[in-house]
Amino acid sequence: MTRPERVIGNLNRALHTLLDNDPRAYVIGEDIADPYGGAFKATRGLSDRHPERVISSPISEGGIVGVAAGLALTGNHPVVEMMFSDFAALAFDQLLNFASKSVSMYGRTVPMSMVVRCPTGGNRGYGPTHSQSLQKHFIGIPALSLHEISPFHDNADVLTAMLSREQPCVLFEDKTLYTRTLHQGGVVDDLFRYELLDDPSRTARVFPVDCADPDWIILAPGGLTERAVAAMRTLLLEEEITCELLVPSRLYPFTVEPLLATVSRARRICVAEDSAADGTWGEMLAQQLHEHLWRRLARPVLLLSAQPSVIPTAAHLEHTVLLQATALRRALTEASQ
């Protein structure tokens, strides 16, 4: 029997495939060379196989992204690993003022195929400066595309799609997913199935088996999928509330219009995210959904976010700050009444 593939193994395989098939591909980051293979082992084996194109760098996030942008500007396809996404703040100037602007500021369109990988999120006890979900700080930058891994999207396809955009891209990777199983064959578990929809963001639709139109449709980024499915399971079994989950691979640019036929099947919609509220991806989606669907919704779009707080190291305190399955379930139950 074939052993199920974990998300981190799938990501590692995707990076191997990229370097094997694309002589213009580079991987750059801190401590990514063997035998260490990166803080989360996503780059294990890469430097042994491609020593000339796997660059273990000094501790300088701005320098790493600057080198990658220079490689991209000369027609190469670099992939950068931030050890933690929190440190991408140190490379914000390179992303905002050099990489993204280089696509269009020279009087013609310039291909800038590069990916900055960002291990993201909490629930691991890493504390205030190693646990944040900073997606909202990169939304709205022209020519900067944001993506997020999920257990429903093959990372080889995700990397291919990102590099084919010929624009700088940031890939957020929720650390809690690394050890989880990559779902395959359309099966989530005994109650839920999934499919990939044919929309620009390659959205995964997770739905209960043999159920009619749902009571709720939840939109969430990939890092929240396990918590969302756990909440959906309890709501179905204990409250007889049916939910579907939509998980896009690309977070920005994002438009709900290709998904309106799917989303409009429910009269209650929830957008969930692990960023602290205000100026977020979730608010952008909620605004779009309200604009298109407000006449047919039973209530305003429900937006659930993390608490406006630093993220504690202690597990029992961390749990109260980040959005958990219990909070999602409770909010949907109360809003259904």
Side-chain angles (χ1 to χ4, degrees), residues 1 19 31-33 39 61 63 70-71 100 110 131 134 137 171 174 189 191 200 203 236-237 249 254 260 272 281:
M1 180 179 294
L19 287 169
D31 294 331
I32 63 171
E61 285 74 16
L71 284 167
S100 62
V110 176
S131 305
L134 300 180
H137 297 288
L171 178 61
D174 194 291
D189 55 29
L191 289 182
T203 301
L236 181 61
L237 295 178
S249 175
F254 186 87
L260 288 178
W281 175 80

Side-chain angles (χ1 to χ4, degrees), residues 186-194 206-211 229-238 241-244:
V187 177
V188 178
D189 55 29
D190 57 326
L191 289 182
F192 295 98
R193 302 292 183 265
Y194 79 94
V206 183
F207 54 94
V209 178
D210 297 329
C211 284
V229 171
M232 290 163 58
R233 170 179 282 273
T234 302
L235 287 167
L236 181 61
L237 295 178
E238 297 183 7
I241 296 173
T242 59
C243 303
E244 289 187 7

Side-chain angles (χ1 to χ4, degrees), residues 315-326:
H316 69 288
L317 297 175
E318 182 185 49
H319 192 84
T320 65
V321 171
L322 300 172
L323 182 60
Q324 307 296 339
T326 51

